[in-house]
Amino acid sequence: MRILHTADWHLGRVYHGVSLLEDQAQVLDELVALIHSEKPDAVLIAGDIYDRSVPPAEAVRLLDDTLTRIVIGERVPVIVIAGNHDSPDRLGFGARLLSEAGLTVRGTVTADVAPVILRDGDGEVAFYPLPYAEPSMLRHCLAEESIADHHAGLRAQLNRVRALHDPSRRSVVLAHAFVIGGTASESERPLSVGGSGAVGSDVFDGFDFVALGHLHRPQALEGGRLDYAGSLMKYSFAEAGHGKSVSLVDIDGRGQTSIRRLPLAPRRDLRILEGSLEDIVHRAAGDPRRDDYVLARISDTGAILDAMSKLRTAYPNALSIERPQLSGSGAGLEAGTDHRKVETQDLFASFYREMTGAALGEQAGQLLHAEIAALSETDREAAR
């Protein structure tokens, strides 16, 4: 059986004040084209369909259009679970009606997980969709007071699945979780505050394939039996060096899997540019991707008037500027120093060293001394 696994669409995402919806629509066009060419038997979407629990109307329309093109247009069944960004009830609205058309949506957690059964030439495959749920919700739903964290909650769910699973069928689990051994990036929202949101991979023992969502970097665990397809797009400059893709998974008659990453190319990439502002602007003339979303990490130490406007003359979709030289890596005054007893020149020199990591030069020190002296003389004259 051939499965296309994707996750973490985050439809409606706004980054640095810019809506990414048009870019997401373009990438979803690519996804539908891949489904048309690869002809999978099923598409799995492992959570975080929307970026927030109350998505904008445009994001809802985009999801509706994309799922219609896949389920009705390509006649490929789709299985969707809610992630920690999604509202379970909103995502799951109309789920029973939609299942008749080939779209299975599991938003809210239930005590018993009914499998979705699909068939190929080797027999049946049972898909078990497990929407994201907080441990407190699982304690109530499963009536198991011992559930204290995500690991215990997922283990309790999957123990129930094992008890009902027909071993003659191959098995696939969909889950939205942070599995120990996975590599996180900056753009994921933590699953737990004040506790551990991680789960051990052993909770998935006995299942042929596990389609995971939550971590945004594509990666496989346990030899490919557990797979993170990764996010649809780059959602943080910390992901600038990542490649984005969907996973094409083939499961043979014995339940053995092989994974192929199908790359996705966004309309605008997310990139980091380094150098002086003048150099970055100058290099833009030969850059074929000037429409990308960029972060300029500039090396200038002096004052720059309206730096973002200058950057956007070269890169119209520039989102941010960083100045590492002014990151405050230097040492300032010792703790406990009374600033009122420090000479103005020494106070400024300490501030300069703290902000730039370098000592105030001799020439700059002389200019500072002259300015302070002139200001002091002005104050004295005003006091007469």
Side-chain angles (χ1 to χ4, degrees):
M1 180 166 288
R2 173 163 288 186
I3 299 165
L4 191 141
H5 169 213
T6 177
D8 297 279
W9 289 7
H10 290 277
L11 299 182
R13 182 83 161 204
V14 174
Y15 190 53
H16 285 274
V18 175
S19 170
L20 301 180
L21 205 60
E22 289 185 5
D23 302 87
Q24 292 171 327
Q26 183 268 329
V27 173
L28 288 173
D29 285 343
E30 286 187 48
L31 175 66
V32 174
L34 287 173
I35 292 169
H36 180 77
S37 62
E38 298 292 343
K39 304 190 184 319
D41 298 297
V43 172
L44 312 183
I45 311 176
D48 282 355
I49 313 305
Y50 295 120
D51 191 56
R52 52 187 184 271
S53 58
V54 184
E58 295 86 351
V60 177
R61 285 194 289 269
L62 177 57
L63 178 64
D64 176 64
D65 176 70
T66 302
L67 293 178
T68 299
R69 292 163 66 191
I70 297 171
V71 176
I72 305 300
E74 299 297 329
R75 298 189 178 278
V76 176
V78 175
I79 305 173
V80 181
I81 61 170
N84 59 301
H85 281 248
D86 299 310
S87 165
D89 292 321
R90 287 188 176 89
L91 187 66
F93 174 77
R96 284 180 293 177
L97 290 173
L98 295 170
S99 64
E100 297 297 321
L103 174 61
T104 301
V105 181
R106 299 284 171 87
T108 56
V109 65
T110 57
D112 296 314
V113 181
V116 178
I117 307 298
L118 298 178
R119 175 181 289 275
D120 66 2
D122 293 309
E124 293 181 333
V125 179
F127 293 82
Y128 295 97
L130 303 179
Y132 173 81
E134 291 288 341
S136 58
M137 185 178 296
L138 288 170
R139 273 199 305 272
H140 174 74
C141 178
L142 304 182
E144 293 191 26
E145 291 300 318
S146 62
I147 295 175
D149 54 25
H150 288 79
H151 178 86
L154 201 50
R155 181 178 58 198
Q157 286 181 291
L158 290 170
N159 282 342
R160 291 182 175 230
V161 169
R162 290 186 187 93
L164 299 173
H165 176 65
D166 180 350
S168 68
R169 294 169 171 161
R170 290 159 289 168
S171 55
V172 174
V173 171
L174 284 78
H176 194 86
F178 181 8
V179 178
I180 295 172
T183 302
S185 59
E186 186 182 88
S187 58
E188 298 111 1
R189 180 187 298 170
L191 293 179
S192 178
V193 177
S196 175
V199 304
S201 60
D202 58 290
V203 300
F204 300 107
D205 286 352
F207 296 99
D208 294 315
F209 180 69
V210 181
L212 292 164
H214 181 60
L215 297 185
H216 287 184
R217 174 177 286 188
Q219 55 196 289
L221 304 174
E222 298 211 349
R225 191 175 64 86
L226 280 61
D227 180 63
Y228 282 102
S231 58
L232 189 70
M233 292 172 49
K234 300 175 185 180
Y235 291 127
S236 164
F237 282 111
E239 300 177 54
H242 297 187
K244 296 301 177 180
S245 59
V246 295
S247 301
L248 195 67
V249 184
D250 285 303
I251 305 178
D252 67 17
R254 296 172 299 142
Q256 299 298 308
T257 62
S258 61
I259 300 175
R260 184 157 50 101
R261 306 282 183 201
L262 304 179
L264 297 171
R267 179 177 63 164
R268 300 185 184 98
D269 201 358
L270 206 66
R271 291 193 290 148
I272 298 175
L273 307 176
E274 297 184 334
S276 69
L277 180 59
E278 182 180 356
D279 287 343
I280 290 172
V281 171
H282 178 73
R283 293 199 303 265
D287 189 343
R289 300 299 304 270
R290 292 180 61 185
D291 284 339
D292 285 346
Y293 297 118
V294 302
L295 160 65
R297 194 167 285 158
I298 62 177
S299 57
D300 304 77
T301 58
I304 303 176
L305 182 63
D306 207 2
M308 182 57 81
S309 292
K310 292 177 180 176
L311 178 63
R312 283 178 173 162
T313 62
Y315 290 93
N317 296 304
L319 298 182
S320 183
I321 288 176
E322 288 182 0
R323 303 186 70 176
Q325 300 297 327
L326 307 181
S327 61
S329 58
L333 295 174
E334 293 183 5
T337 301
D338 188 342
H339 292 71
R340 295 170 296 180
K341 298 180 181 179
V342 179
E343 294 290 336
T344 302
Q345 178 145 345
D346 293 335
L347 190 62
F348 185 89
S350 175
F351 172 75
Y352 182 88
R353 184 168 56 251
E354 183 177 355
M355 296 304 298
T356 67
L360 189 67
E362 182 179 354
Q363 184 178 4
Q366 292 172 353
L367 288 170
L368 176 63
H369 179 76
E371 287 295 327
I372 292 173
L375 289 171
S376 298
E377 181 61 27
T378 300
D379 288 343
R380 284 194 297 269
E381 289 180 358
R384 290 171 186 167

